[in-house]
Amino acid sequence: MTEQKRRPLIIIADDDPDDQLLIREAFAERCRHCELDFVANGLELMAILKAQNGAQPGPQSRSLPDLILLDLNMPLKDGRQALTEIRSDPELRQLPTVVLTTSKNDDDLLFCQTQGANDYIVKPNSFSQLLTIVESLKPYWEDTNPEPTPENEHND
């Protein structure tokens, strides 16, 4: 019996529809097999993470994400609050969480580093730079979910 690999799941917490569109297009070019879930604030993010972790009953039966991309400036619960909550939860703290923000503020960078963000990336000015960023994120999911290729299929 062959075990079917699940598609990598990336949750993107960003309230800007234009940024969501660009991120979706960049992943479509660099990781077609990735499954993307978008949320517009930290409250939605935490609700999904807790539901997927089994902490709250709900229709979600999927596993936790392979990566969280987290904008800092969102309504209701911002990225700083969400990062702090993720890192303080024993069931979620191991989740790879990369801050993807417009903020170039050194205090934001320091805060995210001390809270345990895996990386801090300033949103780029060009789509080609965004493609490079998506490419650089692949190690977060490729070790456990390699993209199907002829060489991977023969090594199973």
Side-chain angles (χ1 to χ4, degrees), residues 28-81:
E29 283 197 32
R30 292 294 191 255
C31 186
R32 282 183 229 123
H33 71 292
C34 286
E35 181 178 346
L36 306 179
D37 276 354
F38 287 87
V39 295
N41 60 64
L43 287 178
E44 290 177 19
L45 173 64
M46 296 313 299
I48 286 175
L49 292 177
K50 290 181 180 182
Q52 289 176 336
N53 194 37
Q56 295 175 352
Q60 305 259 359
S61 61
R62 299 187 339 220
S63 60
L64 290 169
D66 296 286
L67 176 64
I68 298 168
L69 289 181
L70 184 62
D71 187 21
L72 290 183
N73 301 311
M74 298 181 292
L76 302 179
K77 181 181 282 193
D78 69 18
R80 294 164 201 79
Q81 295 166 308

Side-chain angles (χ1 to χ4, degrees), residues 2-155:
T2 327
E3 183 180 319
Q4 186 176 2
K5 293 182 174 128
R6 69 176 181 81
R7 295 170 18 152
L9 174 61
I10 294 98
I11 296 179
I12 297 104
D14 195 319
D15 65 317
D16 185 309
D18 293 332
D19 286 345
Q20 288 182 5
L21 178 63
L22 289 171
I23 291 168
R24 184 181 309 279
E25 289 177 359
F27 271 92
E29 283 197 32
R30 292 294 191 255
C31 186
R32 282 183 229 123
H33 71 292
C34 286
E35 181 178 346
L36 306 179
D37 276 354
F38 287 87
V39 295
N41 60 64
L43 287 178
E44 290 177 19
L45 173 64
M46 296 313 299
I48 286 175
L49 292 177
K50 290 181 180 182
Q52 289 176 336
N53 194 37
Q56 295 175 352
Q60 305 259 359
S61 61
R62 299 187 339 220
S63 60
L64 290 169
D66 296 286
L67 176 64
I68 298 168
L69 289 181
L70 184 62
D71 187 21
L72 290 183
N73 301 311
M74 298 181 292
L76 302 179
K77 181 181 282 193
D78 69 18
R80 294 164 201 79
Q81 295 166 308
L83 177 61
T84 300
E85 191 172 340
I86 290 166
R87 291 302 187 237
S88 66
D89 186 321
E91 301 297 322
L92 302 175
R93 73 172 50 135
Q94 82 287 355
L95 291 175
T97 305
V98 172
V99 174
L100 182 63
T101 183
T102 57
S103 175
K104 297 177 184 176
N105 184 313
D106 288 339
D107 290 337
D108 285 337
L109 172 62
L110 182 60
F111 176 85
C112 292
Q113 288 174 332
T114 59
Q115 289 301 311
N118 293 81
D119 204 350
Y120 187 99
I121 301 170
V122 176
K123 289 179 181 176
N125 294 324
S126 74
F127 186 69
S128 65
Q129 290 173 324
L130 184 57
L131 291 173
T132 302
I133 288 170
V134 170
E135 193 71 33
S136 76
L137 296 172
K138 283 186 175 183
Y140 287 109
W141 65 82
E142 279 190 337
D143 291 339
T144 55
N145 295 302
E147 186 168 357
T149 64
E151 40 198 61
N152 287 356
E153 291 169 7
H154 295 303
N155 291 335

